[in-house]
Every structure is written in C-alpha cells, then in structure tokens.
Amino acid sequence: MARTRSARSEERRADILRAALEVIAERGYRGASLGAVAERVGLTQQGLLHYFPTKEALLVAVLEERDQWDTGGRRSSADGWRLELLASLVEYNAMRPGIVQTFSALLGESVTDEHPARPFFTRRYAQVREEMTDVLRAEFGDRLPGGLTPEHAAPLLVAVMDGLQFQWLLDPESVDMAASFQDFVALLGIPDGAGAADGAS
Amino acid sequence: MARTRSARSEERRADILRAALEVIAERGYRGASLGAVAERVGLTQQGLLHYFPTKEALLVAVLEERDQWDTGGRRSSADGWRLELLASLVEYNAMRPGIVQTFSALLGESVTDEHPARPFFTRRYAQVREEMTDVLRAEFGDRLPGGLTPEHAAPLLVAVMDGLQFQWLLDPESVDMAASFQDFVALLGIPDGAGAADGAS
C-alpha cells in the first residue's frame, strides 16, 4: 500500500514537471505560475503545493529534469555523453526559448543572497565543470589542440554557453547562438564532429 | 533660474547614483532598496521617486554610469579604450561583487517578457559587440591571430565575461574569473599586454 502510494506520487510528480515544461514553453518564465501549472495538470493550487512548495522549487525541479534529459540521463558518468553533444544542445536550445529563458532568469536571481535556487546552481556548475573536464580529458588527454588543459577549458565552455544565451534571448535576430558556439569550439582546437568518429554517423 | 534648478537637479541625480553604488557594494542587489538609497542621500522615498520612479530605473542608471566609467567615459569612440582594458576590468570586477551581482541579477530578470531593464540590456549588448569589433579590428585587422574575424570574436568575448561572472558569484572559491578570462584571450591569439605597446609600460 505504501509502495503504491509512493509510485502514484512519483507519477503525479512527473506529470507536474511535464505540465510545467509545457507552460514554460508557451508562456515563458513569467507566465509559469503555480496556478497555471496546477490547472494544466488538473490539481488545485493547494494540491500542487504538496509537491512543490514554491515556484522556485518547481522550476529548479524542471531544470534538474532537463539536465538529466540533455545529457542522456547519465550525469554520473563521463561515458554517457561527448563533446559533440554540446554543439547539438546549443542548436536545440535555440529552438526552445521558453526553457532557456527560465534557466537564464532563475540563474540571474540565484546569485542574490540566500535565493532558494542558489544551492542548485552552485552544485550544478561544480558538477558540469567536472564532467566537461572529464569528457575533454577522455577525448584529448591533458591538453586540447588549442593549448588549454581540460580544467581550464571547462569553465570557459560553460561560460560561453550561458553568456550567448543572454545575448540571444535579448536579441535573437542579431545573435546566432549555435554559430558562435561553433566559433568557440574551433578556438579550442576541436575539429568538427569530434567524438563522432566511432559514433553512428 | 531654470538653469540653476536643472544643474542642481543633475547634481542631486549624481548624488543618488553614488549613494546607490555604495548601498549596492555594502548590501548587494537585494539590499539595494529605494528606501535604503533615499536614506543614504538624505531624501524621503517620495523625493527619490521624483528622480527614479522604480528600483529597476535606478539600477539601470547605476549600470549605465558604471559602463561610462569602465570604458573611460568614451563609449562613442573605439579610440577611448583598448583590449587590454578588458582584462583589467575583469580583475577589477573580482573585487566588487556587489555591483557584479546587481548587473547579473538584473540581466537575468531582463530576459523575461516586458521587463523594464530589457531595452537597456538589448541596446547595451548591441553597442558593446560593435565597440569590441571596432577595437579588435583596429588592433588586428580583419582576422585575429587565433583565426576569428573581429565580428565573430566580439560576442564570444562578451559571453565569456558574463558567463564567468555567474560561475564566480555562485562559487568564488572555485572560479578564478581573471585567470579564466586570460585563458580565453590567449585562445583568441592575443599576446599578453596587447595594446600596451605604445602605453605607459
């Protein structure tokens, strides 16, 4: 009985996250209110609060879920994804402004003191830098063709992705996020399609 | 008489911006309330609203003023600053987390729909990309040593600066903003101290 209830609760939680993602895609960060998400998933707002006590908690859960999907559900192992994936990810992000806007807005808020999303982002960046370092080392050894060590390249890779998102969100006509990211990848000295050598293509 | 009033008003406006900068430095983005700034400058909150109708308007004015100072007050001409200045600016920013936090938090908010700071940031980035392009072209011609054109390098330079700020604000112990920026400058193929050849050193 307890297990059934827990499984049902997990399922409901997943439904809420899917609904939130839909609302975010349609209405952006500001439109993604707890009320709108509750309505979408057929819960009262009170019922939704049982799963996610605040808008920030819900959005952090959505972003965590997105990270899982974006890296193929294998965040714990560097084998789960390769550098090539990043370029595709940037291209993909250019087609989903709602979630990118939500990520960027919440990231902005999180740097203020005692913001509820701050621990998530701090943890996430430490983890992403570490994973990227591992991926780069696995592909290129202790030094990338452009001269940087994996440890030094990792924070720059993350910074470029995030920084380009802000410029693109503010002015999508003027900023080609995917092309700019490719420029950066070329600077690192990484040939086109690195990591695809033994892949499907 | 009208001129006197106007000059006095300008002076008061400058006082407010200085006070706001102090409050930001001491208390960060969240602590920089209109009330705190009014108190610092010896105005009632109502009096302050006469100059700046919202917190966002005040913060945008502070950031505009900072941009003026940071680029030596010569934003309109590429001759007013050089690439070397950027590296010093990143080092300097690492010593003033309050204003960097304010910039980053407001940038985050600005990407949401119809945010009052959105026009400022959109305009600012278009302008900064253009200025950096001009500076890079003046120093390196149509192609940087690392291979990129000035047009392609400019958005990356901005993205790296902004992206590193977020990582640094969240985890200052783990992220060396100035060293990472130097790594990126090296990737562009720019030798140390570029632009200083005819300078003081």
Side-chain angles (χ1 to χ4, degrees), chain B:
Chain B
M1 176 68 182
R3 282 194 61 197
T4 310
R5 210 164 36 218
S6 161
R8 205 174 286 161
S9 168
E10 272 305 300
E11 209 174 292
R12 180 52 66 91
R13 200 174 174 279
D15 288 345
I16 295 170
L17 291 181
R18 265 192 300 274
L21 192 59
E22 283 173 24
V23 173
I24 286 168
E26 291 166 18
R27 306 187 202 174
Y29 175 70
R30 274 170 191 263
S33 65
L34 288 178
V37 174
E39 198 187 325
R40 177 77 51 118
V41 78
L43 280 172
T44 62
Q45 198 162 329
Q46 204 54 39
L48 180 62
L49 290 175
H50 174 70
Y51 294 89
F52 298 101
T54 61
K55 176 175 174 173
E56 286 79 16
L58 173 59
L59 294 182
V60 162
V62 169
L63 294 176
E64 278 177 331
E65 189 81 5
R66 182 186 74 142
D67 278 343
Q68 290 284 336
W69 284 102
D70 284 355
T71 56
R74 297 228 240 141
R75 297 189 61 79
S76 61
S77 153
D79 305 332
W81 58 282
R82 320 198 69 171
L83 204 58
E84 204 197 12
L85 191 73
L86 285 185
S88 317
L89 184 55
V90 175
E91 265 182 60
Y92 181 38
N93 281 341
M95 290 182 285
R96 46 178 188 176
I99 188 81
V100 175
Q101 186 196 56
T102 298
F103 174 88
S104 300
L106 207 62
L107 170 61
E109 286 184 14
S110 77
V111 304
T112 60
D113 305 328
E114 288 163 43
H115 190 276
R118 187 176 175 117
F120 162 69
F121 280 107
T122 304
R123 200 173 57 236
R124 178 187 188 274
Y125 279 111
Q127 192 178 344
V128 169
R129 282 191 299 264
E130 206 182 305
E131 285 177 14
M132 286 197 184
T133 300
D134 291 347
V135 168
L136 290 168
R137 174 155 285 117
E139 287 193 27
F140 301 103
D142 285 339
R143 206 163 281 273
L144 276 69
L148 292 186
T149 63
E151 280 76 9
H152 284 208
L156 291 178
L157 262 172
V158 191
V160 166
M161 292 180 78
D162 291 342
L164 287 176
Q165 285 182 355
F166 284 104
Q167 292 180 60
W168 171 72
L169 286 167
L170 289 166
D171 197 351
E173 302 298 313
S174 305
V175 177
D176 186 337
M177 194 159 65
S180 274
F181 187 72
Q182 284 292 4
D183 284 341
F184 177 69
V185 168
L187 276 185
L188 289 176
I190 299 172
D192 267 351
D198 56 353
S201 58

Side-chain angles (χ1 to χ4, degrees), chain A residues 6 19 34 56 59 92 98 124 136 139 146 149 166 172 179-180 182 186:
Chain A
S6 161
L34 289 178
E56 286 79 16
L59 294 181
Y92 181 37
R124 178 187 188 274
L136 291 167
E139 288 194 26
T149 62
F166 284 103
S180 274
Q182 283 292 4

